[in-house]
C-alpha cells in the first residue's frame, strides 16, 4: 500500500468526525450562533418579530430606565451575594461537622442533600406554603403567645427576596456541602496530626491551614453557585410570581416576560445580553486562572 | 512484647476511651440534628398537609399532624385538579413528562457518549477547540439562546412538539454529558484501545464491543443526571413543548398558582409531592451514584 493511497486529509478519521457532528453543530450553531444572533438583535427595534432595524443602544437606555429592570438587578445582587456567602459558609460548616468521624454520617448527608433532587418549582411551592402567614410559621409563633409576632416575608415588598433566599438555600446548600466534604476528605491526615502536635486549636487549623488548601474546591463551588444565581427563574415564578408588585422580579424573568408575553423582543434581547456580560465577567477571570495554571503546571 | 509482666505498666495504654456524652459530642450532634430538622421540615409539612381535609387546615397550622387522615387530596391532585384551563389533574402532565423523559434521556446519552468517545480516543484537528466552546456554552445563560432556538425549531417544523423539546434537552445536556464520558473513556487503559485496533476493529466496533461493556457505571451516572435534570425542567417545557405537551412541573405550577377558585392547599401539596416523587425515588435508590453524578457536574472545565 503506497502513501498515495491514503485518503485526503479531511476524510481521515472520518467516523470520528461524523460522530462529532452533533457536538460541532451544537457548539457552532447554538452556543456561538444563537448567542451572536441575540446580541446583534439587541441593537434593533424588534417588537413582535425580530427585525434588523438598527436603533443603536436605545434598547439598553430603555432597559436601564425601567423600574422593573432596576428592581430585578437589585434583587439578583442581594440574592446573589447572600446566597454565595450563606451557601459557602453553611455548606462548609455542615461538611466540617460531618467530617468529625461521626455516626450516621450517611443518614445526615442524605437528609442535607435530598432537596437538591427536587425542582425549583417544588421548592418554591413548598416554601410558599411554609411561609404562608395564615397557617405557617407566623401563625405558630403567634399561637405560642407572641401575638405581635410578624413573619410574612412573601407578603412584604422589602423582605420578599429574602423569603426566596431561604428556599434557594434549602435547595442548594446540600450540594455545596458535598463539594466541601470531598475537598476536606482530600486533605492529608498528616496535616491534622501535625497541627495537633503543635497544639493549634481546631478552628485555627481550619481557617489558616485547611481552607487555603481547599482553594480549588472553593473556586469551583463559587463558579457553580454564581452561574446558578444568574439563571434563577423557576424558583421566583413558583414561589412569588415576581410579587408583591414587582418586588421579587429577577432578570431571567424579565427576559422571558418581554420575549414571550409583552411582545417586546428588543428589550428581552438587551436584557439577556446584559445577563451574558455578567456571566462573562465571572467566567473569564476564572478561566484565565484555571487554564493559565494548567499551562504552567 | 505481647505480655507485660505485672507491675511494669505505668499507666493505661491505647487511646483514651472517649466519653459518649462529652460536651463536644452534644454540641456536634445537637447542631447536626437541628440542621437536619430544618431540611426535613418542608417534606414533613408537605406530607402532613396533603393528608388533611380543608376544614382541618383552616383551623390548625401547617405543622399539626392530621387528626383524620384522608387520601382524597391525592386522588384529586392526580385526576381532577384544575389548571385554569382544564380540570384533568396532574396525570396528563405526568405522562407528558414520561414521554419527554424517555427519548430525551436515550438520545442525549447516546449522542454524548459517542462524542466523548471520539474526543477521548479519536482526536482530530479542532476537536479540542469545539469541546472548549461546548464547555463554555454550559455557562451561557439559557435566556440568551432561547429565542433563536424558537426560530430554528419553527423552521424545522418542531416548535411546540415533543420532538423539539427532546432536541433542546439533547443540546443543553451535551456539555456536561460529553465531559463526563470523555473523562471516563480517557481514564480507561489505552492498551485496551490499541489492542482492539491491532485486531482490526474500527471506530464503531471498539465503541460497542470494548468501550460500552466497560462503562456501565458511567452510563448509570449519566442516566441519573439526565432523569433528575429533565424531570425538573420548567423553562424549556413552558417554551418549547406547547400547551398539549406541558410537562408535570409546568402543570403543577399552573394548578397551584391558578388564580381561579378557592385555594385547596391539601390538593396543592399532594400535587407537589407527586411531582417531586420521581427525582426523590431516583435519589434514594441511587444513593452514592447520585452524589457522583452531581459531583461530575462540579468538575467542569
Amino acid at each position: 500500500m503506497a502513501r498515495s493511497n491514503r485518503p485526503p486529509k479531511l476524510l481521515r478519521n472520518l467516523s470520528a468526525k461524523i460522530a462529532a457532528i452533533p457536538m460541532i453543530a451544537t457548539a457552532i450553531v447554538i452556543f456561538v450562533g444563537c448567542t451572536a444572533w441575540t446580541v446583534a438583535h439587541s441593537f434593533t427595534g424588534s417588537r413582535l418579530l425580530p427585525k434588523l432595524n438598527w436603533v443603536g443602544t436605545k434598547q439598553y437606555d430603555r432597559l436601564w430606565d425601567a423600574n422593573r429592570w432596576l428592581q430585578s438587578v437589585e434583587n439578583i445582587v442581594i440574592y446573589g451575594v447572600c446566597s454565595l456567602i450563606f451557601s459557602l459558609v453553611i455548606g462548609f460548616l455542615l461538611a466540617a461537622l460531618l467530617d468529625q468521624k461521626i455516626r450516621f454520617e450517611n443518614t445526615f448527608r442524605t437528609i442535607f442533600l435530598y432537596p437538591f433532587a427536587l425542582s425549583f418549582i417544588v421548592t418554591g411551592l413548598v416554601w410558599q406554603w411554609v411561609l404562608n402567614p395564615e397557617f405557617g410559621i407566623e401563625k405558630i409563633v403567634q399561637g405560642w403567645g407572641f401575638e405581635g409576632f410578624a413573619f410574612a416575608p412573601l407578603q412584604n415588598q422589602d423582605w420578599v427576596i429574602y423569603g426566596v433566599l431561604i428556599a434557594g438555600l434549602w435547595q442548594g446548600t446540600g450540594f455545596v456541602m458535598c463539594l466541601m466534604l470531598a475537598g476536606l476528605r482530600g486533605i492529608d491526615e498528616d496535616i491534622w496530626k501535625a497541627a495537633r502536635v503543635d497544639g493549634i486549636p481546631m478552628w485555627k487549623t481550619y481557617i489558616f491551614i485547611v481552607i487555603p488548601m481547599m482553594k480549588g474546591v472553593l473556586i469551583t463551588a463559587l463558579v457553580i453557585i454564581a452561574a446558578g444565581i444568574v439563571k434563577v427563574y423557576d424558583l421566583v415564578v413558583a414561589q412569588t410570581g415576581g410579587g408583591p408588585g414587582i418586588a421579587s422580579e429577577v432578570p431571567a424573568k424579565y427576559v422571558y416576560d418581554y420575549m414571550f408575553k409583552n411582545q417586546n423582543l428588543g428589550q428581552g434581547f438587551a436584557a439577556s445580553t446584559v445577563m451574558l456580560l455578567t456571566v462573562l465577567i465571572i467566567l473569564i477571570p476564572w478561566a484565565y486562572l484555571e487554564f493559565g495554571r494548567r499551562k504552567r503546571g | 512484647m505481647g505480655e507485660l509482666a505485672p507491675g511494669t505498666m505505668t499507666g493505661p495504654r491505647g487511646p483514651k476511651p472517649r466519653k459518649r456524652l462529652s460536651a463536644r459530642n452534644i454540641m456536634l450532634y445537637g447542631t447536626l440534628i437541628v440542621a437536619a430538622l430544618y431540611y426535613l421540615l418542608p417534606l414533613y409539612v408537605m406530607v402532613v398537609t396533603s393528608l388533611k381535609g380543608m376544614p382541618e387546615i383552616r383551623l390548625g397550622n401547617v405543622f399539626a399532624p392530621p387528626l383524620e387522615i384522608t387520601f382524597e387530596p391525592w386522588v384529586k391532585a392526580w385526576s381532577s385538579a384544575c389548571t385554569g384551563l382544564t380540570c384533568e389533574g396532574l396525570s396528563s402532565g405526568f405522562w407528558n413528562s414520561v414521554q419527554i423523559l424517555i427519548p430525551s434521556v436515550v438520545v442525549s446519552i447516546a449522542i454524548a457518549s459517542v462524542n466523548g468517545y471520539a474526543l477521548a480516543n479519536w482526536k482530530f484537528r479542532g476537536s479540542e477547540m469545539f469541546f472548549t466552546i461546548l464547555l463554555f456554552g454550559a455557562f451561557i445563560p439559557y435566556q440568551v439562546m432561547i429565542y433563536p432556538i424558537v426560530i430554528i425549531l419553527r423552521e424545522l417544523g418542531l416548535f411546540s412538539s415533543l420532538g423539539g423539546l427532546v432536541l433542546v434537552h439533547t443540546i443543553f445536556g451535551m456539555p456536561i454529558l460529553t465531559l463526563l464520558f470523555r473523562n471516563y473513556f480517557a481514564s480507561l487503559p489505552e492498551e485496551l484501545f490499541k489492542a482492539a485496533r491491532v485486531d482490526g476493529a474500527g471506530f464503531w466496533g471498539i465503541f460497542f464491543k470494548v468501550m460500552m461493556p466497560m462503562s456501565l457505571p458511567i452510563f448509570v451516572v449519566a442516566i441519573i443526571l439526565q432523569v433528575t435534570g429533565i424531570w425538573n425542567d420548567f423553562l424549556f417545557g413552558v417554551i418549547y413543548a406547547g400547551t398539549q405537551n406541558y410537562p408535570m412541573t409546568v402543570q403543577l405550577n399552573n394548578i397551584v398558582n391558578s388564580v381561579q377558585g378557592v385555594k385547596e392547599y391539601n390538593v396543592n401539596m399532594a400535587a407537589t409531592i407527586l411531582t417531586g416523587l420521581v427525582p426523590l425515588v431516583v435519589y434514594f435508590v441511587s444513593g452514592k451514584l447520585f452524589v457522583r453524578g452531581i459531583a461530575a457536574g462540579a468538575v467542569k472545565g
Side-chain angles (χ1 to χ4, degrees):
Chain A
M1 290 278 264
R3 223 156 231 281
S4 59
N5 257 0
R6 289 187 67 179
K9 218 172 172 190
L10 197 68
L11 294 179
R12 250 175 257 158
N13 201 355
L14 189 63
S15 306
K17 283 175 187 166
I18 292 172
I21 286 175
M23 176 186 85
I24 296 172
T26 301
I28 302 298
V29 178
I30 306 294
F31 293 152
V32 176
C34 289
T35 305
W37 189 95
T38 300
V39 173
H41 279 77
S42 72
F43 297 100
T44 70
S46 309
R47 289 195 66 85
L48 178 60
L49 291 168
K51 272 186 296 191
L52 280 173
N53 53 333
W54 306 103
V55 295
T57 57
K58 230 184 209 162
Q59 295 287 3
Y60 292 92
D61 298 339
R62 272 186 53 200
L63 186 66
W64 290 101
D65 275 336
N67 268 335
R68 188 177 154 189
W69 174 253
L70 294 174
Q71 179 76 53
S72 305
V73 172
E74 190 193 317
N75 281 340
I76 207 70
V77 170
I78 296 175
Y79 179 90
V81 171
C82 294
S83 162
L84 262 181
I85 295 173
F86 283 111
S87 49
L88 285 176
V89 170
I90 297 172
F92 183 80
L93 284 179
L94 290 179
L97 290 176
L98 283 189
D99 199 32
Q100 305 300 314
K101 300 197 176 70
I102 57 157
R103 284 160 157 244
F104 310 115
E105 184 194 318
N106 278 334
T107 314
F108 280 116
R109 208 194 46 219
T110 308
I111 292 172
F112 296 151
L113 189 60
Y114 87 90
F116 193 72
L118 295 171
S119 63
F120 276 125
I121 298 291
V122 168
T123 307
L125 295 177
V126 178
W127 281 95
Q128 186 190 62
W129 174 235
V130 174
L131 296 175
N132 182 319
E134 277 176 76
F135 309 101
I137 293 175
E138 186 177 88
K139 164 114 185 240
I140 290 163
V141 179
Q142 283 175 354
W144 290 340
F146 303 94
E147 295 293 337
F149 180 82
F151 186 70
L154 301 187
Q155 278 66 33
N156 182 321
Q157 301 214 341
D158 297 326
W159 289 101
V160 63
I161 197 67
Y162 298 96
V164 178
L165 180 71
I166 294 177
L169 287 176
W170 177 76
Q171 202 261 0
T173 38
F175 172 63
V176 181
M177 177 207 71
C178 263
L179 286 181
M180 299 281 188
L181 195 58
L184 284 174
R185 292 280 150 85
I187 282 173
D188 200 341
E189 192 72 18
D190 289 345
I191 297 206
W192 280 108
K193 282 183 193 153
R196 217 170 294 141
V197 169
D198 287 345
I200 303 169
M202 197 178 223
W203 64 272
K204 267 193 177 171
T205 317
Y206 269 117
I207 292 178
F208 294 109
I209 302 172
V210 173
I211 292 181
M213 287 180 73
M214 285 171 55
K215 215 163 71 190
V217 174
L218 287 173
I219 292 175
T220 312
L222 198 79
V223 171
I224 293 171
I225 304 170
I229 289 166
V230 182
K231 292 178 185 166
V232 171
Y233 170 73
D234 334 11
L235 184 60
V236 171
V237 169
Q239 203 180 356
T240 67
I246 56 164
S248 61
E249 291 288 345
V250 285
K253 188 162 176 293
Y254 188 92
V255 172
Y256 179 86
D257 287 353
Y258 273 88
M259 278 185 189
F260 296 101
K261 285 184 182 161
N262 301 359
Q263 298 173 338
N264 192 343
L265 287 173
Q267 274 294 290
F269 295 148
S272 58
T273 305
V274 173
M275 288 176 67
L276 175 68
L277 278 178
T278 321
V279 173
L280 289 181
I281 290 170
I282 305 166
L283 203 59
I284 287 175
W286 172 71
Y288 187 75
L289 279 175
E290 189 76 20
F291 288 103
R293 195 167 57 206
R294 254 183 228 174
K295 257 177 211 159
R296 267 177 269 129
Chain B
M1 21 192 274
E3 283 173 47
L4 284 165
T8 50
M9 281 258 287
T10 48
R13 299 181 71 234
K16 194 173 139 198
R18 275 207 199 146
K19 266 191 286 177
R20 283 266 166 97
L21 270 176
S22 63
R24 176 181 170 277
N25 272 356
I26 293 174
M27 278 284 287
L28 184 65
Y29 286 98
T31 318
L32 281 171
I33 287 168
V34 170
L37 287 178
Y38 167 74
Y39 283 94
L40 284 175
L41 185 90
L43 187 65
Y44 166 78
V45 169
M46 267 195 282
V47 174
V48 166
T49 307
S50 73
L51 295 174
K52 289 183 206 169
M54 267 319 280
E56 202 185 323
I57 291 179
R58 285 201 200 89
L59 287 174
N61 65 48
V62 295
F63 300 107
L67 299 172
E68 254 177 87
I69 291 180
T70 163
F71 289 99
E72 233 164 88
W74 288 70
V75 176
K76 186 161 185 201
W78 179 254
S79 56
S80 66
C82 296
T83 60
L85 288 171
T86 54
C87 290
E88 292 168 347
L90 269 177
S91 54
S92 65
F94 176 83
W95 293 115
N96 285 345
S97 274
V98 171
Q99 277 180 303
I100 295 164
L101 186 75
I102 292 172
S104 300
V105 170
V106 172
V107 173
S108 64
I109 291 179
I111 289 181
S113 59
V114 175
N115 273 342
Y117 164 64
L119 284 169
N121 298 98
W122 298 82
K123 288 198 182 81
F124 53 89
R125 255 186 77 180
S127 63
E128 286 298 302
M129 186 192 72
F130 292 122
F131 181 58
T132 312
I133 298 176
L134 198 70
L135 282 187
F136 269 85
F139 289 100
I140 302 175
Y142 299 139
Q143 280 74 17
V144 181
M145 297 173 279
I146 46 181
Y147 199 83
I149 293 177
V150 169
I151 298 176
I152 293 173
L153 290 179
R154 203 179 279 148
E155 292 299 315
L156 294 173
L158 290 172
F159 187 59
S160 282
S161 74
L162 282 178
L165 189 55
V166 171
L167 189 63
V168 171
H169 280 306
T170 306
I171 287 170
F172 286 107
M174 207 183 283
I176 177 64
L177 290 180
T178 306
L179 176 77
L180 194 71
F181 281 107
R182 187 193 81 132
N183 289 356
Y184 185 82
F185 290 134
S187 74
L188 293 177
E190 213 188 338
E191 286 72 25
L192 275 169
F193 176 74
K194 281 186 181 152
R197 286 223 69 181
V198 171
D199 288 345
F203 183 88
W204 297 106
I206 298 178
F207 181 69
F208 286 114
K209 293 199 186 114
V210 181
M211 294 306 196
M212 261 181 76
M214 292 184 63
S215 322
L216 189 68
I218 205 70
F219 275 96
V220 176
V221 168
I223 290 171
I224 293 169
L225 205 66
Q226 286 298 84
V227 169
T228 48
I230 293 169
W231 192 272
N232 287 341
D233 160 68
F234 176 80
L235 184 67
F236 297 144
V238 85
I239 295 175
Y240 302 112
T243 327
Q244 74 285 359
N245 296 321
Y246 272 164
M248 206 171 181
T249 46
V250 177
Q251 288 209 338
L252 170 71
N253 189 50
N254 287 348
I255 287 174
V256 178
N257 285 327
S258 141
V259 277
Q260 291 156 347
V262 187
K263 287 228 170 205
E264 291 183 284
Y265 298 109
N266 49 359
V267 176
N268 291 350
M269 283 302 115
T272 309
I273 300 177
L274 282 170
T275 310
L277 219 50
V278 168
L280 274 186
V281 168
V282 171
Y283 172 65
F284 284 114
V285 170
S286 62
K288 281 223 159 124
L289 278 173
F290 181 87
V291 179
R292 246 182 87 186
I294 60 165
V299 288
K300 274 183 191 154

